Amino acid sequence: MSETPDSGAEEPFDVFVSHASKDGDVAARVTAQLEAGGLKCWIAPRDVSAAQKYSVAISQGLRGSRVFLLLLSKASNASEAVFNETEMAFRYRRHIAVLRVEDVEPSEQLEFFVNARQRVDGLGSDLV
């Protein structure tokens, strides 16, 4: 079984927003702005139905999105869930973008997946 989705599969979401639960308010603001700009976003917990297992919902959301947006913060740097999502996005060959929402650099655990990726500093912007 291949770890990458079928190339012909329709991707219903433009952006998968990955964030630590502690950054939920910032993630909601970023998602609202992206959606106001016409992008369809997948974000937990909003897009996890009560009938789904959380891990399955995350995997389906990632496979169904074109871009993986990591909100980089102290909390996301320490989050095992964020690391797992980032690793899956890399494995699924999603475009990975990083939005720094705090003055931090990627942890050693995230560094491999995000160092050569597009990074945007959101500090001092309306996004964060």
Side-chain angles (χ1 to χ4, degrees), residues 36-106:
L39 296 174
K40 188 172 179 185
C41 296
W42 192 100
I43 185 170
R46 180 190 76 181
D47 295 311
V48 179
S49 75
Q52 285 181 301
K53 290 188 176 191
Y54 213 79
S55 60
V56 172
I58 296 289
S59 181
Q60 289 174 345
L62 269 166
R63 282 195 307 261
S65 299
R66 292 183 305 116
V67 174
F68 177 85
L69 177 62
L70 169 63
L71 302 186
L72 185 61
S73 68
K74 292 173 189 164
S76 65
N77 253 341
S79 170
E80 194 66 28
V82 168
F83 171 73
N84 289 339
E85 291 170 1
T86 307
E87 184 178 38
M88 286 175 68
F90 183 83
R91 193 172 357 116
Y92 292 158
R93 295 189 171 126
R94 294 299 178 246
H95 176 78
I96 297 174
V98 179
L99 175 63
R100 276 189 349 139
V101 298
E102 289 183 350
D103 189 15
V104 296
E105 291 298 318

